[in-house]
């Protein structure tokens, strides 16, 4: 024990503010002498702000620990731009000393950390330049290379912690001992008493992120854990690939184009995305909400499913409670399946969901078509679409700690035959084969058995999934009522335009109902934006609903069909619409909304063409009996059936001069009116609809009148073989409606006749006054 005089002498060394500084040797010898251990470095005093005082240390049980080499020698290789200077010693000799950039030292030297010793190099004479060889592993930092942006404090901390967590308790103690032996300058006390968090935190405090990883690898290799060195290196590579993949996906899915030539600008996806209603159950049938009729429920009579968000599609809870690795996301054409996929991908990028997957690879079938007809492996497909994945090793796709999710958007766009019985098995993602074999084996669960797969498709394609494959199915139903308004609020930047568009869709119940389809909402928004840009915000929006249905049908049978089947010429398109329209009209006459198998045979068209390629129909499964399932077809909405029926009546008269009502009316009203030949069709249609008290031909009649407008005739011109004098027809049709309104005593029927005037572009008030 020191007496008081000795204690005061120690405490007074160089103005030390604490006994701890004097005991630790952090001070200047007043006689100018230095101890043998400190000949190389001058150790400045410890700043008093973090003075922890005297730290008693029991060194009796410590193994012998040799003094580590000087930091200058250990970090010599870390400099990225070095220089040298010659300094004279007292005896006239000189020594060349390498000067390091401050940022090449560890972080504790760069920022003068209070817990790390800041050592200032001193100069030694020639006779003192020979020192003991260093046993500290050399730490190398790449020259002239910037740090990869994926290397963050958070990742480095997790990577080192996870790696150390794989060590046994004994190996952890060996790691700490070796760390203390090699780098004692970083610890004021031996690290044996530190837990994992404190140990890693200490490394990151005193060293840069790169150096911390190098030290960890060097010590792990020293204690014989090369496997963990490879594991840590894999984590770093995967982290870089994930960062670069996220940047690629953000550019690809983070922005959307409004599809308007006059805008030519992309908007952030978050600014336009509106939440979709995704049902936890499938086979719910089409939306049957109707303005006039009350249609019997067409679904499988199961209880309504709960709402599922995109974050819950492959949630951790689902994976824990089930062994499902394949999920089908189904929905009718235009229901928003691809938008849901965009949302899921961006949520993964932003670490909002699906974080159980190390990588997420969207593989749209639209992009996979480029590999048809060539021999290729799944690995090559991934690397072609996402070149940053070339850094990954084959085992990264198979190991348990690197789960991967694959998103296949648009299985209905794939034209290959999915033969699950006769297709050869494929077990290695590096094997060269055809695209069809790869797709079949992925859906069969034979390839990448640790992977997760999300597949979007229109309803009928699910028949291609083998019956013994364990999968779940959820359905995108489009927008609920509040989301319809939200869509337009996000789509239009001008509040006045938003108010006008919402008022417009609310003016017609049928428009409001059909806005459950995001595709229909988009068509309405495009048309309104075109009118606003050409005529100003106060321009009058169209009163006719027929024009929007014409655009919807053309979008489905042309633009959307082009991704699934070869283009058809106008004659083939007209033939298809006539056959499907005839079916729609016959069903409408009978009050029928389900399409049976015999109905398909009578039309001469395939259900595949109507459901998958054109998207005007859908398929679902009903369960009329406990052990019996029945596949049922229908149009995607009853109003689409009514529009196609009206189009059939219109084209039949335009191209063939045929009035489809002649037989139904049996001559009751035939010849009652004279005038324009086309008026025969409209007279028959009006009189026939007035006989239907249930209103089953009301919307049909509106569409039939709306098709005569010039805007619709321009779109339908490819389907018409002979022109008609439509301007005079509009005047005659308006006169007919006014006459029937005065003659008819049924208020319900008259309300629909007023709507027919709106379809003709004639104000209803004018009809009343007439």
């Amino acid at each position: 024990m020191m007496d008081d005089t000795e204690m005061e002498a120690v405490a007074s060394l160089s103005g030390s503010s604490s006994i701890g500084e004097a005991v630790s040797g952090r001070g200047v010898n007043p006689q100018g002498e230095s101890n043998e251990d400190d000949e190389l470095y001058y150790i400045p005093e410890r700043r008093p702000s973090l003075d922890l005082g005297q730290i008693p240390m029991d060194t009796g049980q410590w193994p012998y620990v040799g003094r580590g080499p000087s930091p200058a020698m250990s970090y010599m290789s870390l400099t990225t731009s070095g220089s040298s200077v010659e300094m004279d010693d007292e005896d006239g000799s000189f020594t060349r000393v390498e000067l390091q950039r401050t940022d090449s030292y560890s972080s504790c030297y760069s920022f003068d950390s209070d817990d790390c010793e800041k050592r200032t190099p001193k100069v030694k004479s020639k006779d003192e330049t020979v020192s003991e060889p260093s046993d500290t592993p050399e730490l190398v930092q790449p020259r002239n290379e910037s740090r990869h942006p994926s290397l963050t404090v958070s990742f480095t901390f997790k990577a080192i912690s996870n790696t150390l967590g794989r060590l046994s308790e004994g190996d952890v103690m060996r790691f700490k001992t070796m760390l203390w032996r090699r780098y004692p300058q970083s610890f004021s006390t031996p690290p044996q008493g530190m837990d994992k968090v404190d140990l890693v935190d200490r490394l990151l405090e005193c060293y840069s992120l790169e150096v911390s990883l190098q030290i960890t690898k060097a010590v792990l290799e020293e204690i014989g854990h090369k496997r963990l060195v490879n594991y840590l290196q894999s984590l770093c590579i995967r982290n870089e690939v994930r960062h670069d993949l996220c940047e690629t996906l953000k550019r690809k899915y983070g922005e959307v184009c409004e599809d308007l030539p006059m805008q030519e600008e992309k908007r952030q996806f978050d600014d336009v995305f509106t939440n979709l209603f995704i049902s936890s159950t499938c086979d719910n049938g089409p939306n049957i909400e109707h303005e006039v009729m009350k249609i019997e429920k067409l679904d499988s009579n199961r209880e309504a499913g709960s709402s599922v968000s995109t974050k819950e599609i492959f949630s951790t809870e689902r994976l824990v409670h089930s062994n499902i690795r394949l999920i089908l996301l189904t929905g009718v054409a235009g229901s928003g399946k691809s938008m849901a996929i965009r949302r899921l991908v961006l949520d993964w990028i932003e670490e909002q969901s699906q974080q159980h997957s190390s990588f997420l690879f969207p593989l749209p079938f639209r992009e996979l078509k480029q590999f048809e007809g060539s021999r290729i492996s799944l690995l090559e497909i991934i690397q072609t679409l996402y070149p940053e994945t070339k850094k990954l090793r084959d085992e990264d796709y198979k190991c348990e700690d690197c789960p991967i999710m694959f998103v296949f958007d648009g299985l209905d766009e794939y034209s290959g035959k999915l033969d699950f019985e006769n297709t050869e098995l494929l077990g290695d993602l590096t094997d060269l084969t055809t695209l069809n074999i790869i797709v079949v084996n992925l859906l069969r669960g034979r390839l990448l058995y640790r992977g997760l797969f999300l597949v979007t498709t229109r309803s009928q394609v699910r028949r291609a999934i083998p019956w013994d494959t364990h999968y779940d199915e959820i359905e995108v139903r489009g927008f609920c009522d509040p989301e319809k308004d939200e869509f337009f609020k996000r789509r239009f930047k001008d509040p006045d335009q938003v108010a006008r568009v919402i008022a417009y869709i609310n003016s017609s119940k049928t428009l409001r109902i059909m806005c459950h389809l995001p595709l229909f909402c988009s068509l309405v928004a495009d048309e309104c934006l075109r009118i606003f840009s050409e005529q100003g915000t106060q321009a009058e929006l169209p009163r006719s609903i027929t024009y929007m249905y014409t655009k919807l049908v053309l979008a489905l049978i042309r633009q959307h069909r082009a991704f699934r089947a070869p283009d058809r010429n106008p004659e083939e398109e007209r033939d298809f619409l006539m056959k499907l329209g005839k079916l729609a009209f016959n069903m409408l006459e009978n009050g029928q909304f389900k399409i049976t198998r015999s109905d398909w045979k009578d039309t001469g068209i395939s259900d595949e063409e109507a459901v998958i390629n054109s998207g005007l129909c859908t398929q679902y499964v009903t369960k009329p009996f406990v052990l019996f399932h029945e596949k049922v077809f229908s149009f995607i909405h009853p109003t689409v059936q009514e529009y196609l029926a009206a189009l059939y009546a219109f084209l039949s008269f335009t191209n063939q001069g045929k009035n489809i009502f002649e037989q139904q009316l049996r001559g009751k009203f035939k010849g009652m009116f004279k005038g324009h030949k086309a008026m025969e069709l409209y007279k028959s249609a009006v009189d026939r609809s007035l006989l239907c008290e249930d209103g089953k031909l009301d919307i049909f009649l509106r569409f039939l009148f709306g098709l005569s407008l010039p805007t619709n005739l321009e779109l339908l011109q490819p389907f018409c073989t002979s022109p008609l004098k439509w301007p005079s027809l509009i005047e005659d049709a308006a006169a007919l409606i006014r006459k029937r309104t005065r003659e008819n005593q049924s208020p319900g029927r008259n309300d629909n006749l007023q709507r027919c005037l709106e379809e003709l572009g004639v104000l209803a008030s004018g009809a009343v006054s007439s």
Side-chain angles (χ1 to χ4, degrees):
M1 296 291 292
M2 293 184 294
D3 56 23
D4 294 342
T5 304
E6 292 173 330
M7 292 290 287
E8 292 176 1
V10 172
S12 64
L13 289 178
S14 213
S16 297
S17 60
S18 68
I19 298 177
E21 291 179 348
V23 172
S24 64
R26 295 184 177 92
V28 179
N29 193 316
Q31 282 77 27
E33 298 177 359
S34 60
N35 295 328
E36 182 179 352
D37 291 340
D38 290 325
E39 288 183 357
L40 181 61
Y41 290 95
Y42 158 77
I43 306 176
E45 64 181 290
R46 184 185 186 93
R47 291 195 308 203
S49 59
L50 292 179
D51 178 25
L52 303 179
Q54 203 168 10
I55 304 176
M57 295 182 291
D58 182 10
T59 61
Q61 304 299 323
W62 291 5
Y64 172 75
V65 180
R67 179 175 179 82
S70 66
M73 297 175 64
S74 300
Y75 293 93
M76 185 69 68
S77 61
L78 295 182
T79 179
T80 56
S81 61
S83 59
S84 62
V85 62
E86 294 180 354
M87 303 176 63
D88 292 333
D89 285 345
E90 294 179 357
D91 59 358
S93 62
F94 63 90
T95 301
R96 182 176 298 276
V97 179
E98 294 287 340
L99 299 181
Q100 311 291 334
R101 274 178 28 184
T102 57
D103 59 357
S104 66
Y105 286 95
S106 66
S107 59
C108 66
Y109 297 113
S110 301
F111 296 99
D112 191 19
S113 173
D114 292 298
D115 267 346
C116 298
E117 300 180 29
K118 179 178 181 182
R119 299 171 179 250
T120 305
K122 294 177 65 176
V123 181
K124 298 184 70 173
S125 64
K126 290 181 178 179
D127 298 335
E128 299 171 328
T129 56
V130 180
S131 61
E132 294 182 1
S134 170
D135 59 353
T136 301
E138 184 180 17
L139 303 175
V140 180
Q141 184 171 354
R143 294 176 178 269
N144 301 324
E145 287 189 15
S146 59
R147 173 185 296 174
H148 195 279
S150 66
L151 188 59
T152 62
V153 174
S154 175
F155 164 75
T156 307
F157 184 90
K158 291 179 182 179
I160 297 178
S161 298
N162 291 341
T163 304
L164 298 183
R166 293 172 172 254
L167 292 172
S168 64
E169 187 174 344
D171 287 334
V172 171
M173 292 304 297
R174 292 178 59 201
F175 181 89
K176 293 178 180 179
T177 301
M178 190 62 65
L179 192 65
W180 166 249
R181 180 180 300 171
R182 297 302 187 215
Y183 311 100
Q185 69 274 9
S186 303
F187 301 90
S188 57
T189 60
Q192 277 79 355
M194 291 184 175
D195 61 15
K196 182 176 62 177
V197 173
D198 290 337
L199 182 66
V200 179
D201 187 62
R202 183 64 177 178
L203 275 176
L204 299 183
E205 179 185 356
C206 291
Y207 298 98
S208 67
L209 303 180
E210 296 91 340
V211 172
S212 298
L213 291 169
Q214 290 181 38
I215 289 176
T216 304
K217 295 175 185 177
V219 175
L220 286 173
E221 189 167 2
E222 185 77 14
I223 63 177
H225 280 279
K226 293 185 178 180
R227 180 179 58 84
L228 288 184
V229 174
N230 294 332
Y231 171 75
L232 182 56
Q233 183 64 26
S234 295
L235 292 182
C236 295
I237 294 175
R238 294 174 192 170
N239 184 54
E240 292 183 7
V241 172
R242 174 171 176 140
H243 176 275
D244 295 340
L245 177 64
C246 287
E247 291 299 314
T248 298
L249 296 178
K250 193 180 300 182
R251 290 190 300 270
K252 184 176 180 180
Y253 292 94
E255 294 181 334
V256 292
C257 184
E258 301 294 320
D259 294 331
L260 278 181
M262 72 277 297
Q263 285 195 341
E264 295 182 353
E265 66 174 347
K266 293 185 177 180
R267 296 179 61 186
Q268 291 297 316
F269 179 79
D270 291 334
D271 294 338
V272 299
F273 175 76
T274 306
N275 289 329
L276 296 159
F277 174 53
I278 304 176
S279 174
S280 60
T281 60
C282 60
D283 294 321
N284 296 291
N287 184 324
I288 57 174
E289 188 180 1
H290 198 273
E291 178 179 343
V292 179
M293 294 181 290
K294 183 174 179 60
I295 301 175
E296 184 181 356
K297 193 174 183 181
L298 303 179
D299 62 8
S300 59
N301 297 319
R302 65 169 62 190
E303 295 183 1
S306 58
S307 178
V308 177
S309 70
T310 53
K311 293 182 174 62
E312 299 170 334
I313 291 178
F314 253 131
S315 64
T316 304
E317 294 181 1
R318 181 188 292 269
L319 296 175
V320 170
H321 294 94
S322 67
N323 193 31
I324 293 175
R325 295 172 40 250
L326 171 62
I327 292 182
L328 286 184
L329 186 65
T330 64
V332 302
S335 59
K337 299 182 292 296
S338 294
M339 295 297 282
I341 293 302
R342 279 181 178 264
R343 178 74 278 165
L344 180 140
V345 171
L346 292 176
D347 283 344
W348 178 78
I349 293 173
E350 297 165 3
E351 300 184 0
Q352 298 295 318
S353 67
Q354 323 302 327
Q355 291 309 293
H356 46 71
S357 298
S358 298
F359 297 102
L360 188 150
F361 295 125
L363 301 176
F365 280 94
R366 196 170 299 179
E367 297 182 15
L368 292 179
K369 288 183 178 180
Q370 62 182 294
F371 304 108
E372 291 181 340
S374 59
R375 294 188 63 81
I376 197 168
S377 67
L378 176 60
L379 182 62
E380 290 176 336
I381 291 177
I382 296 173
Q383 292 178 349
T384 301
L385 297 179
Y386 305 103
E388 52 272 11
T389 59
K390 293 179 180 179
K391 296 181 182 179
L392 294 177
R393 300 166 299 179
D394 294 350
E395 52 265 29
D396 290 327
Y397 294 90
K398 304 174 183 178
C399 59
E400 187 175 356
D401 61 341
C402 186
I404 299 176
M405 180 186 295
F406 294 88
V407 179
F408 296 93
D409 187 18
L411 180 59
D412 49 287
E413 298 180 16
Y414 180 62
S415 57
K417 183 180 179 181
L418 301 177
D419 186 352
F420 295 98
E421 295 182 1
N422 302 315
T423 302
E424 65 180 86
L425 297 180
L426 185 68
D428 196 329
L429 79 165
T430 62
D431 290 345
L432 293 178
T433 184
T434 63
L435 177 64
N436 184 267
I437 293 177
I438 293 175
V439 171
V440 170
N441 279 272
L442 284 173
L443 296 178
R444 199 71 173 90
R446 305 296 188 188
L447 187 60
L448 294 179
Y449 61 92
R450 295 188 185 276
L452 300 175
F453 304 93
L454 176 63
V455 181
T456 71
T457 179
R458 292 178 180 176
S459 302
Q460 192 183 20
V461 183
R462 67 167 175 263
R463 74 192 190 287
I465 306 300
W467 64 271
D468 59 342
T469 297
H470 190 42
Y471 71 96
D472 199 1
E473 184 175 357
I474 56 182
E475 182 178 358
V476 181
R477 302 284 293 170
F479 292 148
C480 295
D481 212 51
E483 283 68 36
K484 298 174 185 177
D485 292 343
E486 182 65 24
F487 174 88
F488 294 107
K489 290 177 181 178
R490 289 177 175 270
R491 185 68 180 269
F492 292 85
K493 300 177 182 179
D494 187 344
D496 293 336
Q497 294 180 356
V498 172
R500 295 214 59 210
V501 174
I502 293 179
Y504 166 64
I505 65 171
N506 288 337
S507 66
S508 170
K509 188 175 180 180
T510 295
L511 276 183
R512 182 75 184 181
I513 292 171
M514 276 304 291
C515 280
H516 76 280
L517 290 178
L519 175 60
F520 193 84
C521 286
S522 181
L523 294 174
V524 172
D526 290 350
E527 180 63 20
C528 293
L529 282 170
R530 184 190 64 80
I531 294 175
F532 291 148
S533 64
E534 293 177 357
Q535 305 175 30
T537 302
Q538 301 306 317
E540 183 177 358
L541 297 177
R543 295 177 179 271
S544 171
I545 65 173
T546 310
Y547 181 70
M548 299 313 308
Y549 275 79
T550 302
K551 294 195 69 173
L552 174 65
V553 170
L554 292 181
L556 290 176
I557 68 173
R558 287 184 176 176
Q559 293 95 324
H560 289 246
R561 184 186 183 280
F563 300 119
R564 297 164 176 81
D567 294 335
R568 292 181 298 197
N569 57 48
E571 290 75 16
E572 292 174 330
E573 284 184 331
R574 181 171 59 249
D575 182 63
F576 169 75
L577 289 176
M578 289 293 289
K579 290 180 179 179
L580 192 60
K582 182 179 180 179
L583 172 63
F585 179 78
N586 292 336
M587 291 172 56
L588 192 61
E589 279 281 293
N590 298 323
Q592 176 185 344
F593 297 94
K594 294 181 180 180
I595 307 173
T596 64
R597 291 189 177 276
S598 60
D599 293 329
W600 286 125
K601 294 179 181 179
D602 295 338
T603 60
I605 58 177
S606 66
D607 54 354
E608 180 179 0
E609 180 63 35
V611 175
I612 300 178
N613 295 342
S614 297
L616 294 172
C617 298
T618 186
Q619 173 190 301
Y620 51 97
V621 175
T622 60
K623 301 177 182 178
F625 307 104
V626 176
L627 298 178
F628 179 73
H629 293 184
E630 179 186 4
K631 293 181 180 179
V632 179
F633 298 87
S634 73
F635 292 90
I636 59 175
H637 192 265
T639 55
V640 174
Q641 176 179 340
E642 292 166 311
Y643 174 85
L644 291 173
L647 183 61
Y648 163 70
F650 178 81
L651 293 179
S652 294
F653 189 86
T654 302
N655 299 335
Q656 304 170 11
K658 177 183 176 181
N659 185 348
I660 64 172
F661 291 99
E662 287 181 351
Q663 296 301 321
Q664 287 88 347
L665 291 173
R666 297 181 180 179
K668 182 176 180 180
F669 300 99
K670 188 174 182 181
M672 185 178 296
F673 295 96
K674 297 180 180 180
H676 197 290
K677 186 178 178 181
M679 282 304 299
E680 296 295 331
L681 172 66
Y682 287 97
K683 292 173 186 177
S684 303
V686 170
D687 293 333
R688 180 69 179 89
S689 68
L690 291 176
L691 295 177
C692 301
E693 293 297 331
D694 58 357
K696 63 183 180 183
L697 293 181
D698 282 4
I699 305 297
F700 162 85
L701 189 63
R702 293 185 202 174
F703 286 139
L704 187 59
F705 278 107
L707 289 172
S708 64
L709 290 181
T711 52
N712 284 302
L713 288 175
E714 183 179 354
L715 294 177
L716 297 173
Q717 189 59 44
F719 307 125
C720 299
T721 58
S722 61
L724 292 175
K725 298 179 181 179
W726 296 108
S728 60
L729 173 64
I730 294 177
E731 297 176 2
D732 294 340
L736 170 65
I737 294 174
R738 292 177 181 130
K739 181 177 178 60
R740 285 291 185 267
T741 302
R742 290 192 299 266
E743 295 174 349
N744 187 60
Q745 300 300 320
S746 174
R749 304 278 68 79
N750 283 346
D751 288 344
N752 189 63
L753 291 177
Q754 302 304 315
R755 292 288 188 176
C756 291
L757 283 176
E758 292 182 359
E759 290 299 319
L760 289 171
V762 180
L763 292 178
S765 59
V768 173
S769 62
S770 300

